[in-house]
Amino acid sequence: MRWLKGVILAIILLAVLLLGILFAVNNQQAVPLNLIWVELPPASLSVWLLASLACGVLLGMLAMSGVYLRLRTLLTRAQRHNQQQRKELDRLRIQELKEVP
């Protein structure tokens, strides 16, 4: 079953790669990018679109890092509390076994 997952993943990655190549080949027109206060030199449309995609992915990851760190801290705290509860439960079980004649 693991090999089937690998084959499906490889097929999907190959399809995405082929679509990316087709996208880059079909969008080779040089387009200058005007960002209101600065005008960037002309580059192909596919370069500008892929650059904007990369910037969006990075900004999204940066925005989610705070949530990730908060959840990671809560998980660590919960695991520590769980471990303390298990130790107390084990101690109470041992104490109960010692009291039973």
Side-chain angles (χ1 to χ4, degrees):
M1 195 56 126
R2 181 181 241 176
W3 66 270
L4 182 61
K5 183 179 177 182
V7 168
I8 291 172
L9 182 63
I11 291 171
I12 291 171
L13 288 176
L14 185 63
V16 168
L17 181 65
L18 288 174
L19 284 173
I21 291 171
L22 283 173
F23 176 76
V25 168
N26 288 328
N27 292 298
Q28 292 184 350
Q29 302 91 336
V31 177
L33 188 61
N34 187 355
L35 298 175
I36 300 173
W37 60 87
V38 69
E39 186 166 329
L40 299 174
S44 71
L45 183 60
S46 60
V47 169
W48 290 128
L49 289 174
L50 292 175
S52 67
L53 174 68
C55 288
V57 167
L58 291 175
L59 286 174
M61 289 172 61
L62 182 65
M64 290 305 297
S65 65
V67 174
Y68 174 77
L69 291 175
R70 183 173 52 93
L71 290 175
R72 189 73 182 159
T73 303
L74 288 173
L75 177 63
T76 304
R77 189 177 300 150
Q79 287 175 338
R80 192 177 314 121
H81 182 69
N82 189 11
Q83 187 178 15
Q84 289 173 350
Q85 294 294 323
R86 285 178 189 257
K87 284 181 182 179
E88 183 178 352
L89 183 61
D90 289 342
R91 184 181 55 79
L92 289 172
R93 285 179 179 160
I94 291 172
Q95 182 180 1
E96 181 181 309
L97 288 176
K98 288 180 180 178
E99 290 178 359
V100 175

